[in-house]
Amino acid sequence: MTFTTVIGLLASIGTSSSLLPQLFKIIKEKKAEALSIGMLLVLFAGLALWIWYGILQKDMIVIVANAFSLVVNIILLILTIKYKK
């Protein structure tokens, strides 16, 4: 494993887990008034494009990291719609 790969893995872990605190907060409080559905949709589109890019480049770090982020984003979107008043 090269140094570049390690940096890529660390970066992907950091960015992929960035929305987890928000997800846990929504699950705990069952409230999502302050979360923007528009922001989630833009993020959803960006993540989908990153996955596509990763597939084209055959880069598993990009694919896996963004696929994980996309799943978290989909869950956030579902909970935001469910708990928005």
Side-chain angles (χ1 to χ4, degrees):
M1 187 175 294
T2 67
F3 180 71
T4 304
T5 302
V6 171
I7 295 297
L9 286 170
L10 292 174
S12 68
I13 290 168
T15 56
S16 297
S17 62
S18 66
L19 287 176
L20 288 176
Q22 185 67 55
L23 178 62
F24 296 146
K25 182 177 181 191
I26 289 173
I27 291 169
K28 180 181 175 184
E29 297 178 1
K30 299 196 181 346
K31 292 192 287 185
E33 289 84 20
L35 201 58
S36 166
I37 291 176
M39 183 273 303
L40 291 174
L41 293 175
V42 171
L43 183 56
F44 183 89
L47 292 169
L49 289 171
W50 270 116
I51 293 167
W52 188 9
Y53 173 81
I55 291 168
L56 294 173
Q57 294 295 316
K58 298 180 176 122
D59 188 331
M60 285 306 293
I61 293 173
V62 172
I63 295 167
V64 171
N66 287 289
F68 176 77
S69 294
L70 187 62
V71 169
V72 171
N73 193 34
I74 290 169
I75 294 168
L76 266 174
L77 181 62
I78 291 167
L79 292 177
T80 298
I81 291 169
K82 180 178 179 178
Y83 292 127
K84 228 170 190 8
K85 293 182 180 176

